[in-house]
Amino acid sequence: MQTKKTAISYRLLLGLLAFCVFLTACGFKMRGQTDLPYKTVYTNISRNTSFGIYIYRLLKASSPDTVMVDDAKDADIIITQLSMNRNRTEVSLDADGKVEEYELGISLHFTVTDNQGNVLIEPSSLDSTQLLPYDEDVADAKNAEMSLVYSNMEKSIADRLYRRLISESLVERYRYFNPQ
């Protein structure tokens, strides 16, 4: 009986080891700290908004040496929010003319430059849309759900902006204009 348990635990250990080797061989790597060539960042995105706080936290968590500064003159890169728009479009109506479904959307227009004015990311747009079923009988609950959906879409856009900021193409472009 004891040898059976030993054999099972030995197989489990061997299986776990094989799984770890497989993960390493397939190129899996957990996201960790990112060493960015730019150490100071300025943005006109307000840190008093959930969107601004989320971007600030993403940069701080992945690159602890990166500092958000309050003056563009002190920054290595400048993220300029050109506009951020929310929209809500009626997609379908019922027989009485009441809204059954909305399409919610957020669009962020931005550009990224270095402190010398070189454009690192041309004016670009990040968009997110989502359908939301709607029922007037539970309007308060649906409005709360709408706020939550907008918040999730903002997080999605912030994640995509963050990935653009740490991308190899941006880092290479920054190093091209700012050799060290």
Side-chain angles (χ1 to χ4, degrees):
M1 185 78 168
Q2 188 65 15
T3 57
K4 208 177 216 183
K5 286 183 180 179
T6 305
I8 290 173
S9 64
Y10 179 71
R11 287 182 187 154
L12 183 64
L13 181 62
L14 189 60
L16 187 60
L17 182 62
F19 181 71
C20 290
V21 169
F22 170 74
L23 278 180
T24 304
C26 76
F28 175 79
K29 179 182 168 191
M30 289 187 66
R31 197 172 13 170
Q33 290 185 359
T34 306
D35 292 326
L36 299 173
Y38 38 88
K39 299 299 179 199
T40 56
V41 177
Y42 170 80
T43 183
N44 65 342
I45 300 170
S46 174
R47 287 190 223 168
N48 295 331
T49 64
S50 59
F51 181 70
I53 290 169
Y54 196 68
I55 290 173
Y56 175 77
R57 286 181 182 166
L58 282 171
L59 283 170
K60 203 66 178 152
S62 69
S63 183
D65 297 335
T66 303
V67 177
M68 300 291 281
V69 295
D70 294 326
D71 189 1
K73 295 175 187 172
D74 300 330
D76 293 333
I77 67 166
I78 301 162
I79 306 163
T80 306
Q81 174 182 320
L82 303 173
S83 68
M84 186 160 185
N85 302 312
R86 286 184 174 193
N87 60 44
R88 180 176 71 181
T89 307
E90 299 170 351
V91 176
S92 63
L93 303 173
D94 65 7
D96 297 329
K98 295 179 182 177
V99 176
E100 282 187 332
E101 191 172 39
Y102 281 113
E103 180 181 72
L104 306 179
I106 295 181
S107 182
L108 170 70
H109 300 280
F110 70 98
T111 187
V112 179
T113 59
D114 66 5
N115 58 0
Q116 299 165 0
N118 299 311
V119 177
L120 303 177
I121 297 178
E122 296 287 332
S124 302
S125 178
L126 296 173
D127 303 311
S128 181
T129 59
Q130 190 165 340
L131 294 176
L132 177 71
Y134 191 78
D135 184 1
E136 274 191 19
D137 296 335
V138 287
D140 289 339
K142 285 299 181 178
N143 287 334
E145 182 180 0
M146 194 177 299
S147 295
L148 184 62
V149 169
Y150 274 127
S151 176
N152 288 338
M153 290 189 321
E154 283 180 351
K155 286 180 182 178
S156 170
I157 288 177
D159 284 334
R160 291 173 24 211
L161 175 60
Y162 164 73
R163 285 193 299 270
R164 296 274 307 264
L165 294 174
I166 65 168
S167 69
E168 271 304 311
S169 61
L170 180 79
V171 169
E172 287 174 15
R173 194 161 169 88
Y174 177 81
R175 285 188 176 138
Y176 174 78
F177 288 119
N178 302 281
Q180 296 175 1

